[in-house]
Amino acid sequence: MTPASQTKHFLDLWRLEAGELRLILDEAHRRKAARAGWPKGRIDADAPLAGHVLAMVFEKNSTRTRFSFDAAIRQLGGASIIANAGDMQLGRGEPVEDTARVLSRMVDAVMIRANRHEDVERFAQASVVPVINGLTDRSHPCQILADLQTIEEQRGDVAGKTFAWVGDGNNVCASLIHASGQLGFSLRVACPADYHPNLMDLARSSQGDVTVGHDPVAAVKGVDAIFTDTWVSMGDTDHHERLAAFEPYQVDDALMGLAAPGALFLHCLPAHRGEEVTDQVMDGPQSVVVDEAENRIHAQKAVLVWCFGLI
Ligand code: CP
Ligand code: NVA
């Protein structure tokens, strides 16, 4: 077993060493291409994680993260065990650290979706096996990997491109901010003043070119892609205030029309049609939302092999 101090956790994009994010994305592209046209359940030719078990622990709802990690570990030759935290002793107050020490003896890696980011950090501190952040209140690194893979499939290397984030400066936005400096793209965030990205996340963009303003029209002019997300994330309680504050931030055809011709529309899903995005944009020719969802599988396979030191 790897000593705890050398275990490779995937907790946030800003924590990766220079070049590692590029390495992971390249592996995601390579593995996807290598199995083009195959049935979804067939194991990759090299079966790099044969005999390995991934545990998945969910404190919040999930469709894409749950299914994509399960498909990912199977395609790598491994197996999964999935549990909702509410069904575990974790849900009755067993300390995160005790759960981490016990699961470290039973599985080879753990993916956690947690209410509180610090719980994932604590879990990783106590875990001897790799821990992967499957979304917290603060970040969603696996989502942004899949999103960047999607853009690169359509438009080539993200380096030198400019993207806009319109809406809530939330967990998904934070991971996009973290990636900007590492991969060399510019990011313009347009959000209401009360829903600004966390200043710590801006500081962690590794010298990325990130600007934050309140005008969606100014933010999207000429950009290569527009990202948005729900106005009310899991755990948010100020539903009515949010709907009012975000009304001017809907992504519609008029806003898409201000971006570069053929600009892509990205959304991690689930979407609230008629709120942050119109049906026309979601279902329109510039939308790549379903590709993003599929690429969760390929991007997370790359994360898994990285965690095991195989790339
Ligand atoms: N985008 C995403 O993480 O979706 P789920 O909440 O369905 O996992
Ligand atoms: N920001 C959203 C993302 C869901 C995948 C949330 O945290 O609920």
Side-chain angles (χ1 to χ4, degrees):
M1 201 179 265
T2 313
S5 58
Q6 289 168 29
T7 303
K8 290 175 81 170
H9 303 300
F10 186 81
L11 301 183
D12 265 318
L13 299 179
W14 66 268
R15 289 177 175 275
L16 296 174
E17 305 283 336
E20 281 187 308
L21 183 47
R22 185 66 264 161
L23 194 72
I24 293 170
L25 265 178
D26 289 346
E27 176 73 2
H29 287 302
R30 195 185 66 71
R31 282 200 176 270
K32 183 174 181 181
R35 57 175 299 120
W38 287 18
K40 296 176 184 69
R42 191 189 292 178
I43 296 170
D44 284 2
D46 58 345
L49 296 187
H52 290 65
V53 178
L54 171 71
M56 288 186 251
V57 177
F58 287 93
E59 283 189 349
K60 304 189 193 202
N61 295 48
S62 169
T63 299
R64 281 143 287 267
T65 304
R66 185 179 296 246
F67 283 85
S68 61
F69 264 108
D70 205 354
I73 188 71
R74 290 171 193 232
Q75 289 183 7
L76 294 171
S80 66
I81 301 173
I82 309 179
N84 292 327
D87 296 330
M88 297 169 60
Q89 299 293 6
L90 199 54
R92 292 181 59 242
E94 182 169 15
V96 167
E97 288 80 2
D98 290 347
T99 309
R101 287 183 198 109
V102 168
L103 290 191
S104 289
R105 298 285 181 96
M106 298 177 178
V107 301
D108 300 289
V110 181
M111 187 240 66
I112 313 181
R113 168 165 286 196
N115 291 317
R116 300 188 322 159
H117 191 83
E118 59 261 39
D119 287 346
V120 176
E121 300 266 358
R122 284 172 53 204
F123 198 107
Q125 282 282 325
S127 176
V128 179
V129 301
V131 173
I132 298 170
N133 173 0
L135 179 146
T136 69
D137 55 336
R138 293 290 307 281
S139 59
H140 197 0
C142 293
Q143 180 67 51
I144 289 305
L145 270 182
D147 293 357
L148 297 174
Q149 179 178 5
T150 304
I151 294 173
E152 291 198 335
E153 283 173 346
Q154 307 264 348
R155 299 286 184 270
D157 196 336
V158 292
K161 296 203 167 34
T162 303
F163 307 136
W165 176 277
V166 177
D168 191 8
N170 65 10
N171 46 1
V172 182
C173 179
S175 290
L176 186 60
I177 290 170
H178 297 160
S180 77
Q182 296 218 12
L183 292 175
F185 60 83
S186 301
L187 178 65
R188 300 186 203 146
V189 179
C191 58
D194 289 342
Y195 300 98
H196 194 282
N198 188 298
L199 294 180
M200 186 79 90
D201 291 314
L202 291 168
R204 284 172 174 159
S205 67
S206 321
Q207 281 90 49
D209 174 23
V210 182
T211 56
V212 183
H214 306 307
D215 180 2
V217 168
V220 304
K221 279 208 177 112
V223 297
D224 300 294
I226 298 179
F227 290 68
T228 192
D229 187 12
T230 178
W231 293 338
V232 186
S233 283
M234 293 180 279
D236 287 337
T237 50
D238 51 345
H239 191 260
H240 293 295
E241 290 89 332
R242 282 176 169 268
L243 291 190
F246 285 113
E247 212 184 302
Y249 293 84
Q250 184 182 72
V251 180
D252 58 13
D253 282 333
L255 205 65
M256 286 301 297
L258 299 173
L264 302 175
F265 171 73
L266 291 100
H267 191 310
C268 62
L269 305 181
H272 295 73
R273 291 162 177 261
E275 292 183 8
E276 73 272 10
V277 61
T278 60
D279 281 333
Q280 288 82 357
V281 171
M282 269 288 285
D283 302 328
Q286 290 161 271
S287 173
V288 289
V289 299
V290 183
D291 296 306
E292 293 174 74
E294 179 195 330
N295 283 335
R296 296 290 302 278
I297 300 176
H298 309 294
Q300 288 156 192
K301 285 168 69 179
V303 169
L304 284 161
V305 296
W306 175 84
C307 285
F308 287 98
L310 300 176
I311 53 168

